[in-house]
Amino acid sequence: AQTVTQSQPEMSVQEAETVTLSCTYDTSESNYYLFWYKQPPSRQMILVIRQEAYKQQNATENRFSVNFQKAAKSFSLKISDSQLGDTAMYFCAFMATSGTYKYIFGTGTRLKVLA
Amino acid sequence: NAGVTQTPKFRILKIGQSMTLQCTQDMNHNYMYWYRQDPGMGLKLIYYSVGAGITDKGEVPNGYNVSRSTTEDFPLRLELAAPSQTSVYFCASSDYGTVNTEAFFGQGTRLTVV
C-alpha cells in the first residue's frame, strides 16, 4: 500500500521569503503522479503543481517549484517570494497509474505567511 | 463549466439520523471519489468509482454507502449517523488518460452529528 508523509504540521514564513514544504512517500510502483494541493480557508482544494514520475525534470509553476527525488521518494514544494495569499493548508498527494487511480494524501502542512 | 458540485455545504444531524450527500460533475469524468477530512488527518478515502455501476471501498467505508447509476452523479449515503462521522466531506472526480490527471474537488460539506 502507498503512503504519503508530511512531517511538518505547521510552518511560517515572512512575506517575500522562500519556504520549502517536505513530502515523502512509499510505493513499489514505478509509474505514478505526485501533486501538491492548496486548501485556503475557503476549504476549496486547488491544484498547485503536478509531477510525473517518469519525467526527471522538476515541475515549475510560476513561484512554485518541486524537488523530485525519485530514488529517495521525496517530493518537496518550494514557494518563492511568498505572498499573504499563500497562507493555507498544503497537501501532498500520490496517484499510481496502475490499478484504480486512487489519490493518497498526506496529513498536510499548515503554512502561514507573515506580513 | 460548474466542475464538481456538492450539496449541502453544511448540515447538522442528530445521532441515528440518515442523510445523503449529493455530488455531481459535468466534466464526463470516469473516476469519482469521496473523502473525509478530519483535523490533522489529511484526506481519507471512503469510497470510489471507476465508472457507472462500479464502486469499491476505500480506507474508511464503515457507516457509508454509495451508488453510481450515471457518469455524472455519485451520492454518499450515511445510515445511522454517529458523532465519529462529524467531518468535512469532499467529492472529487478525475479522468486519468487525458491531459488532466489531477483530481477536481467540490467545495466540501461540513457535517456535524450531535
Side-chain angles (χ1 to χ4, degrees):
Chain A
Q2 294 91 3
T3 59
V4 176
T5 301
Q6 293 180 250
S7 58
Q8 305 153 315
E10 293 186 357
M11 294 190 72
S12 62
V13 62
Q14 290 293 135
E15 199 175 6
E17 297 293 307
T18 295
V19 64
T20 299
L21 308 184
S22 301
C23 173
T24 58
Y25 58 95
D26 188 24
T27 186
S28 57
E29 301 280 348
S30 56
N31 296 317
Y32 49 87
Y33 286 82
L34 294 161
F35 307 88
W36 279 98
Y37 279 87
K38 170 185 178 181
Q39 187 183 44
S42 68
R43 209 166 66 198
Q44 181 67 51
M45 294 285 284
I46 302 164
L47 178 70
V48 174
I49 200 165
R50 99 187 93 210
Q51 174 79 41
E52 296 148 87
Y54 66 88
K55 288 188 176 178
Q56 291 188 334
Q57 186 174 5
N58 288 327
T60 62
E61 288 286 343
N62 301 315
R63 298 183 294 109
F64 300 87
S65 61
V66 298
N67 184 3
F68 173 48
Q69 302 288 330
K70 190 172 183 179
K73 296 179 182 174
S74 171
F75 182 61
S76 60
L77 175 69
K78 185 170 83 170
I79 306 174
S80 304
D81 185 25
S82 296
Q83 300 175 359
L84 296 177
D86 295 333
T87 292
M89 280 289 285
Y90 287 82
F91 291 98
C92 179
F94 169 98
M95 190 269 280
T97 58
S98 63
T100 53
Y101 311 108
K102 294 182 286 187
Y103 296 81
I104 310 299
F105 287 83
T107 51
T109 296
R110 185 175 300 280
L111 176 68
K112 187 168 185 178
V113 179
L114 306 171
Chain B
N1 280 348
V4 179
T5 302
Q6 285 183 242
T7 56
K9 289 188 170 48
F10 303 92
R11 183 73 186 267
I12 298 174
L13 273 185
K14 293 187 177 178
I15 293 171
Q17 286 185 321
S18 300
M19 77 164 293
T20 299
L21 279 66
Q22 301 291 345
C23 176
T24 187
Q25 52 94 5
D26 62 0
M27 297 173 283
N28 202 33
H29 286 173
N30 286 322
Y31 305 99
M32 295 188 75
Y33 313 85
W34 274 105
Y35 289 90
R36 59 177 287 172
Q37 181 182 13
D38 301 307
M41 300 295 289
L43 279 77
K44 299 290 187 185
L45 183 63
I46 305 171
Y47 270 95
Y48 65 99
S49 170
V50 300
I54 306 170
T55 63
D56 207 348
K57 296 177 181 179
E59 261 183 287
V60 290
N62 291 344
Y64 307 95
N65 277 301
V66 294
S67 60
R68 184 99 182 267
S69 57
T70 66
T71 298
E72 295 78 19
D73 299 309
F74 190 42
L76 177 71
R77 177 84 178 159
L78 279 73
E79 304 281 2
L80 298 174
S84 61
Q85 293 177 305
T86 293
S87 189
V88 178
Y89 291 84
F90 285 96
C91 179
S93 72
S94 74
D95 199 14
Y96 173 73
T98 68
V99 175
N100 296 319
T101 54
E102 74 269 27
F104 293 80
F105 284 83
Q107 288 199 305
T109 297
R110 181 176 292 280
L111 175 68
T112 303
V113 181
V114 296

